[in-house]
Amino acid sequence: MNLVVVSNRVTRGNVNEPMTGGLAAALLPVVEKSGAIWVGSSGRVRDGAQKEPFAEVEALGAGALAMLDLPAAHYGGYYEGFANSALWPALHSRADLISASQGNYLSYREVNAFMARALLRFKTADTAFWIQDYHFLALGAELRGLGVTQPIGFFLHTPWPARAVIEGVPHHRELIEAMLAYDLIGFQTQDDCDNFLGYLSSSLGIEIENGAVTSCHGKSRIAVFPIGIDPVKFARQAAKAVSHPDVSRLRRSLNGEKLAIGVDRLDYSKGLVNRINAFDRMWTLQPALARTVTLLQIATPSRGGIEAYGNLQNELARLVSDVNGRHGEADWTPIRYLNKGFSQTVLAGLYRTAQVGVVTPLHDGMNLVAKEYVAAQNPTDPGVLVLSKFAGAANELDTALLVNPHDIDGMARTIAVALSMPLPERRMRWEAMMTRLRSHTIQQWFADFVDALQGTRVRPGVAMPPVTEPPASWPLRSANAGARYN
Ligand code: F6P
């Protein structure tokens, strides 16, 4: 089988450069090894003069990376518009932030159709397509419209909300009917899956039989595939990274204080305001904890052109400065707040340095930072994970200290408990989480989804071969050549 993986954001990946996007960082190591071709946006746009979608193709591990310049006239309406101002808030249960125009919806559909046309050149008789995330809900239907009969799978990295929330998205019915062109639809958690099935049955009146539904497109299977990480590799990286100069400097600057760490995109789904308020409350209720712990909060700016993100950035800057002003001392800054990205290597070292990892989103599909924090710990002296019960990861990491991110007092108390947890309890909790991470890796996630996808449209008597090297027909050039591909 020739696998074509599609996501809006792709990456060449360099562990020493800042990584953008959990999805891209997670997919990179598995896509590289699988021999798949990975198609996504180049991050550039082109004007409408192009007849054919344009792709740059370069080698990526055993496979290839193909990057498209998306149409300039539709990019804003697609990315900042419909994908991130209508779908993203809805998927994270923020119906109050949904903003959508007809123009943005049309741009979203245009970009999905554009991507479908671009994918045709990678299609062979035994190709299977695996589409990632909310940017491309309608891509499967566009491919079917172009005559593609090969298996097409879809995986959603975000949560799927309750019916009443998704119904706040204009054109929800059209979009979700289009999703049924996928043979396999994967979710992070059973709750997400149940919400989706609930919509199909209540809003579309579709009957569900053993996790499968039948529509005008044929049969779609709907299942749960929680994404993982490579914990062994990450642990190795973290052990090495503690001697990275940036990490050593941080350790020296702590003067014996404990470190709590939060690492997030600057996004309203991440619960950053509540988290800062919880630290504020903790230092107010337990003044003895002043000077004993510092929070390092990395909040990487994201989607800056969208008003809600700009507002949040301003609100957080004011809040952090207020908390530091009230609790700080001439020689102690309670919160170190950074608006920039860090390489995976440095992050691994920072996680290992921190005695507490604070991952408290209001809603999150999985949250791989939680898993990486656990994997990065020193087995003989592990830190404690404080984790929102509304992150997908909480289903698996249930020996973390689970918190309600809306309960500021509860979070304040729990962070204080984490800071004073005795070693035997820390080890017991950490070992249980590591056992889970080791048995549900990113490699296993990838293989499970691809296996299930292969099973969806296999013609009787025709066994699909395993994922292999890219076919000779892909015109690969080396990454350095910066080759163009038409
Ligand atoms: O949560 C879904 C997701 O695709 C993440 O994997 C990723 O971090 C983020 O959204 C991507 O955001 P953007 O590409 O807009 O920066």
Side-chain angles (χ1 to χ4, degrees):
M1 181 185 73
N2 299 308
L3 183 65
V4 176
V5 176
V6 184
S7 60
N8 176 68
R9 198 181 277 281
V10 293
T11 181
R12 292 189 175 94
N14 176 343
V15 288
N16 296 314
E17 279 173 13
M19 271 280 183
T20 28
L23 179 161
L27 283 181
L28 177 70
V30 272
V31 172
E32 265 182 340
K33 283 232 166 76
S34 71
I37 184 162
W38 188 9
V39 185
S41 158
S42 64
R44 292 185 303 265
V45 293
R46 297 180 97 207
D47 63 31
Q50 54 183 338
K51 279 218 185 71
E52 282 294 313
F54 164 91
E56 264 180 27
V57 182
E58 58 188 51
L60 181 72
L65 177 64
M67 287 174 288
L68 295 180
D69 295 353
L70 295 179
H74 295 292
Y75 186 75
Y78 149 77
Y79 178 76
E80 292 196 330
F82 199 77
N84 285 312
S85 296
L87 289 173
W88 179 271
L91 292 167
H92 292 83
S93 299
R94 287 298 304 268
D96 58 314
L97 293 178
I98 295 173
S99 140
S101 67
Q102 182 66 5
N104 287 352
Y105 178 65
L106 292 178
S107 289
Y108 179 85
R109 296 300 302 246
E110 275 297 328
V111 169
N112 275 240
F114 179 88
M115 180 59 88
R117 291 197 297 280
L119 291 178
L120 287 186
R121 60 185 56 226
F122 303 114
K123 181 180 76 110
T124 62
D126 65 350
T127 296
F129 294 94
W130 184 5
I131 316 302
Q132 313 283 326
D133 237 356
Y134 60 98
H135 307 88
F136 294 120
L137 297 182
L139 181 48
E142 297 291 350
L143 285 167
R144 297 284 182 232
L146 295 172
V148 172
T149 54
Q150 282 84 345
I152 315 178
F154 174 82
F155 184 79
L156 185 71
H157 291 257
T158 70
W160 186 274
R163 183 163 71 97
V165 180
I166 203 71
E167 286 189 347
V169 175
H171 304 284
H172 58 91
R173 189 184 176 102
E174 214 168 285
L175 276 174
I176 295 167
E177 281 171 352
M179 285 175 76
L180 298 180
Y182 292 118
D183 298 302
L184 176 63
I185 301 177
F187 291 99
Q188 299 273 28
T189 69
Q190 192 60 50
D191 281 351
D192 301 326
C193 193
D194 291 346
N195 284 343
F196 184 74
L197 292 173
Y199 177 95
L200 294 185
S201 110
S202 307
S203 301
L204 302 187
I206 292 178
E207 205 176 308
I208 295 140
E209 245 183 290
N210 297 327
V213 298
T214 304
S215 70
C216 61
H217 296 288
K219 198 167 183 179
S220 305
R221 210 190 123 204
I222 294 141
V224 178
F225 298 87
I227 195 169
I229 61 167
D230 182 340
V232 174
K233 189 168 149 207
F234 204 83
R236 219 181 299 128
Q237 206 177 342
K240 232 167 108 186
V242 282
S243 48
H244 187 286
D246 292 358
V247 180
S248 308
R249 265 200 314 279
L250 166 75
R251 247 195 332 272
R252 281 197 300 276
S253 75
L254 286 170
N255 297 321
E257 288 152 35
K258 288 189 172 164
L259 182 69
I261 192 166
V263 177
D264 306 81
R265 259 183 329 101
L266 209 160
D267 191 294
Y268 47 80
S269 65
K270 303 294 182 184
L272 292 165
V273 169
N274 288 8
R275 186 182 310 167
I276 303 296
N277 282 330
F279 274 86
D280 180 14
R281 194 67 58 87
M282 179 184 80
W283 284 311
T284 304
L285 296 177
Q286 303 195 42
L289 288 178
R291 288 179 182 279
T292 67
V293 57
T294 291
L295 168 65
L296 171 61
Q297 177 60 59
I298 295 170
T300 314
S302 172
R303 306 171 191 170
I306 300 173
E307 197 185 344
Y309 288 79
N311 292 344
L312 177 65
Q313 185 157 6
N314 294 337
E315 183 181 1
L316 279 167
R318 270 197 309 272
L319 182 62
V320 169
S321 139
D322 170 52
V323 173
N324 280 343
R326 278 187 291 105
H327 295 288
E329 299 288 348
D331 59 346
W332 177 60
T333 304
I335 301 174
R336 302 182 186 190
Y337 178 62
L338 306 177
N339 286 146
K340 59 181 187 172
F342 284 81
S343 70
Q344 211 170 51
T345 305
V346 171
L347 285 178
L350 298 179
Y351 294 147
R352 197 173 172 106
T353 304
Q355 285 79 9
V356 179
V358 213
V359 182
T360 55
L362 306 179
H363 274 288
D364 218 330
M366 176 54 67
N367 199 304
L368 293 178
V369 168
K371 293 189 171 183
E372 289 177 352
Y373 174 78
V374 172
Q377 296 310 299
N378 176 353
T380 60
D381 186 17
V384 181
L385 176 64
V386 175
L387 177 63
S388 163
K389 60 184 184 180
F390 303 124
N395 291 309
E396 301 168 73
L397 305 181
D398 55 2
T399 56
L401 293 183
L402 296 184
V403 292
N404 171 359
H406 302 283
D407 175 6
I408 309 292
D409 286 310
M411 278 201 289
R413 281 194 302 273
T414 305
I415 295 163
V417 167
L419 285 165
S420 61
M421 188 180 285
L423 180 62
E425 184 176 351
R426 280 191 274 132
R427 284 177 73 161
M428 192 197 71
R429 288 175 181 273
W430 176 80
E431 266 156 24
M433 292 191 277
M434 274 310 272
T435 303
R436 170 73 198 192
L437 293 187
R438 285 193 203 101
S439 62
H440 292 78
T441 61
I442 181 84
Q443 288 80 7
Q444 195 58 52
W445 171 80
F446 194 87
D448 286 350
F449 192 96
V450 172
D451 278 356
L453 181 58
Q454 281 183 265
T456 56
R457 284 201 176 210
V458 181
R459 283 152 289 161
V462 182
M464 284 232 190
V467 178
T468 54
E469 298 282 299
S473 61
W474 291 350
L476 295 185
R477 312 241 176 95
S478 83
N480 297 339
R484 292 189 164 197
Y485 177 72
N486 265 312

